[in-house]
Amino acid sequence: MINRWFFICAFALLINKVSLQVTVEGFVGGSVVLPCSSTEHDLTLQDTDVHWRDKDSKIVFDIVKGEDSIAEQNSQYKNRVETFPDEYKRGNFSIILTNLQHTDAGEFSCFITPSDEQKTVELIITGSTAEKGNNLFTIWMTILTCVFLCYLHQLFCL
């Protein structure tokens, strides 16, 4: 029984450690989840900053001391980024980017301090939501996967 839990915990940690770059596909006009989770066990939100940047180092979104901060957000991303504040305490700093444009394609980076973690997400934009159908199911499956992995990590690895 202990071996099984150890395997689940090791697998959850391995997923976080190995997947340094993730590829996400979205459609023009649609939405995607850009995943970012910390592997640190003892995050203190008051001491944690998360900085999302795009391929041109534009500010996509900032979380400063555990609070959302859009003061210096690039205008290209205004009113297009959503977060999961209830997930911050679990180390999940994923964002949803809505109303996708062709210009959004490329690399996004998530920097978590003070743990000095960096996660990279490659966003590929294809077609339009009218052509491909609504990708809401994909978004929710990605969200649920992120939440589930964080839950397993907290439950079995602390």
Side-chain angles (χ1 to χ4, degrees):
M1 183 73 162
I2 292 175
N3 286 339
R4 189 173 96 172
W5 294 122
F6 177 76
F7 175 75
I8 291 171
C9 181
F11 182 71
L13 284 173
L14 190 62
I15 288 173
N16 280 338
K17 293 284 186 191
V18 172
S19 57
L20 297 177
Q21 178 159 353
V22 175
T23 301
V24 176
E25 184 177 336
F27 307 102
V28 173
S31 301
V32 292
V33 173
L34 302 180
C36 177
S37 296
S38 174
T39 58
E40 290 291 316
H41 296 298
D42 54 354
L43 275 180
T44 305
L45 287 182
Q46 296 81 356
D47 299 328
T48 302
D49 294 341
V50 179
H51 305 284
W52 275 96
R53 300 295 181 264
D54 70 5
K55 60 190 171 287
D56 300 318
S57 298
K58 293 178 186 167
I59 298 173
V60 178
F61 199 82
D62 285 330
I63 301 167
V64 178
K65 300 193 183 316
E67 298 291 327
D68 296 351
S69 174
I70 58 171
E72 297 182 31
Q73 184 180 41
N74 186 279
S75 61
Q76 177 180 343
Y77 298 106
K78 291 278 186 201
N79 301 314
R80 296 181 52 217
V81 179
E82 299 174 22
T83 63
F84 307 95
D86 292 340
E87 289 297 312
Y88 295 169
K89 62 184 168 263
R90 292 181 186 87
N92 182 358
F93 302 104
S94 303
I95 61 173
I96 298 177
L97 184 59
T98 64
N99 191 22
L100 293 173
Q101 329 263 319
H102 282 292
T103 55
D104 292 329
E107 198 170 271
F108 287 81
S109 295
C110 168
F111 303 94
I112 305 171
T113 58
S115 62
D116 292 327
E117 295 177 81
Q118 178 179 347
K119 310 294 178 166
T120 305
V121 181
E122 181 73 23
L123 177 58
I124 299 170
I125 305 293
T126 59
S128 69
T129 54
E131 295 169 7
K132 300 290 183 179
N134 191 338
N135 64 347
L136 188 58
F137 177 77
T138 304
I139 292 171
W140 279 108
M141 288 307 294
T142 305
I143 292 169
L144 290 174
T145 301
C146 289
V147 170
F148 179 71
L149 287 174
C150 286
Y151 174 75
L152 282 179
H153 182 71
Q154 294 288 326
L155 187 64
F156 298 112
C157 299
L158 293 182

